[in-house]
Amino acid sequence: MTDRMASARVGRSLERFEDFPLLTGRGRYAGDLPLAAGTLHAAVLRSPHAHAEILAIDASRALAMPGVDCVVTGDDARGWTRPFIAAVRSPIEHWCLATDRVRYQGEPVAVVLVGERYRAEDALDAVEVTYRPLPASVDPRAAAIDDVVSDRCFRYGDPEAAFAPRPIGLRSPHGIRATAARRSSALSWLPNICPGRMPTR
């Protein structure tokens, strides 16, 4: 974003373009995506702990359920993929699934792949994970004393000029709050383009 683009947006109300189809019943959602025959549905098992070691994952009961194609864990992620690029200065590895420990409540721990969505959700209950809970940092100000993994500053345009005519200021003791956008995808594996066999069980 250039300084000119930033100055045109900072401190100004922006027209929204996405509201009309949503308010008139014309929005498109994940459930509206066309699915090919044989599509597998993924259900994600998430950590109930804010911080804990993963001692064991037993997916045998889930794999024995009708229709369950496979259960993917952090060990599988290490074998099949690479860590995400982490945009922080600390040397950390961020995988698509928790590997040795979970670091926040709701972190993905395992994924169940089944031909039917509701069977996939039922199979989650059959995956048994053994955790060893660890102390968690729940106060962001206290955590910032010793646990800052990245400290970066971004500046676009002229914020002083943009906010100068607006004398109202807000201060929040909780810092910045953000809501993650939920995304859904429908993927197809094409053997003639991606040769090889997809790993199962």
Side-chain angles (χ1 to χ4, degrees), residues 95-156:
W95 294 87
C96 57
L97 293 172
T99 53
D100 55 346
R101 66 175 59 188
V102 292
R103 292 170 173 82
Y104 61 90
Q105 186 176 12
E107 183 172 4
V109 175
V111 179
V112 177
L113 295 168
V114 190
E116 298 178 25
R117 171 187 169 188
Y118 298 109
R119 286 182 181 267
E121 295 175 356
D122 291 341
L124 286 184
D125 295 332
V127 179
E128 299 178 2
V129 183
T130 305
Y131 298 96
R132 185 171 75 87
L134 298 172
S137 296
V138 295
D139 182 347
R141 292 184 181 275
I145 297 175
D146 299 316
D147 299 330
V148 176
V149 296
S150 184
D151 185 2
R152 305 173 69 182
C153 179
F154 298 91
R155 181 185 179 93
Y156 300 101

Side-chain angles (χ1 to χ4, degrees), residues 29-33 35-36 38-45 65-69 111-125 182 184-185:
Y29 301 92
D32 300 320
L33 293 174
L35 300 177
T39 296
L40 297 178
H41 293 260
V44 182
L45 180 66
M65 296 176 67
V68 174
D69 192 82
V111 179
V112 177
L113 295 168
V114 190
E116 298 178 25
R117 171 187 169 188
Y118 298 109
R119 286 182 181 267
E121 295 175 356
D122 291 341
L124 286 184
D125 295 332
R182 294 187 177 183
S184 299
S185 302

Side-chain angles (χ1 to χ4, degrees), residues 145-198:
I145 297 175
D146 299 316
D147 299 330
V148 176
V149 296
S150 184
D151 185 2
R152 305 173 69 182
C153 179
F154 298 91
R155 181 185 179 93
Y156 300 101
D158 187 355
E160 288 82 8
F163 289 102
R166 295 161 179 82
I168 299 176
L170 297 176
R171 182 181 177 119
S172 171
H174 303 292
I176 297 176
R177 297 177 181 176
T179 301
R182 294 187 177 183
R183 294 182 174 89
S184 299
S185 302
L187 308 177
S188 296
W189 177 55
L190 305 177
N192 58 329
I193 296 177
C194 303
R197 186 172 183 275
M198 290 290 285

Side-chain angles (χ1 to χ4, degrees), residues 39-117:
T39 296
L40 297 178
H41 293 260
V44 182
L45 180 66
R46 299 181 180 275
S47 167
H49 302 284
H51 192 201
E53 289 184 1
I54 299 176
L55 301 181
I57 299 179
D58 184 357
S60 58
R61 288 179 53 232
L63 289 170
M65 296 176 67
V68 174
D69 192 82
C70 69
V71 177
V72 182
T73 66
D75 288 340
D76 298 318
R78 283 181 183 267
W80 300 341
T81 66
R82 297 178 180 175
F84 294 126
I85 296 175
V88 296
R89 295 177 181 174
S90 299
I92 63 173
E93 287 188 346
H94 179 203
W95 294 87
C96 57
L97 293 172
T99 53
D100 55 346
R101 66 175 59 188
V102 292
R103 292 170 173 82
Y104 61 90
Q105 186 176 12
E107 183 172 4
V109 175
V111 179
V112 177
L113 295 168
V114 190
E116 298 178 25
R117 171 187 169 188

